[in-house]
Amino acid sequence: MIKMTDIIMDGHPILREKAASVKLPASQEEKETLQEMLQFLKNSQDPKIAEKYGLRPGIGLAAPQIGISKRMIAVLVTDDEENVYSYALFNPKILSHSVEQTYLEGGEGCLSVDEDIPGNVPRYARITVTGTDLNGSEVKLRLKGLPAICFQHEIDHLDGIMFYDRIDKKDPFQTYGKPVLR
Ligand code: SB7
Ligand code: NI
């Protein structure tokens, strides 16, 4: 089981690396790791389990955050229409994106960052993501709202990018299109 002590914190160089593609088909070990990452998100969102193990709730997790520099992400997020997006993907890629931007009202946080870093993080309003799931099936997702923001945050981790890198230093609260409300 993944716990908070397994989370690599900001300042560790692995969070700044470009993660390597997973050679497909993924190994049993890689599949187990990715499954564990999704389970961590489920646990972190279960109040009883989160309390028992001291987990911070998370809607996404990227393998570099547990010290594995491979292109694997898990996402467990609910949108404003109560649709649940539960995904564990190898080699996720943004195939295409809108010109329109958005940002999460109140800013973003990260399990690898303890402090609150204020500011709006520009994101694409809509993205199409491809990847390979735990069954080895190729998936293609069209996303908007919080799920789109979450996938962009996670895919950024695979490229060594932290959310605060995208905050405008001169004008942290400038806006980008219509906000996603929390
Ligand atoms: C706000 C939070 C997240 C994504 C987008 C907006 C995820 C936080 C958990 N993570 O640090 C995952 O990398
Ligand atoms: Ni993060």
Side-chain angles (χ1 to χ4, degrees), residues 58-62 65 104 107-112 146 149-150 153-154 157 182:
I59 58 174
L61 187 66
Q65 292 183 279
L104 182 60
E108 296 185 18
C110 181
L111 290 167
S112 298
L146 188 58
I149 290 176
C150 186
H153 178 118
E154 303 317 328
H157 276 305
R182 25 169 105 241

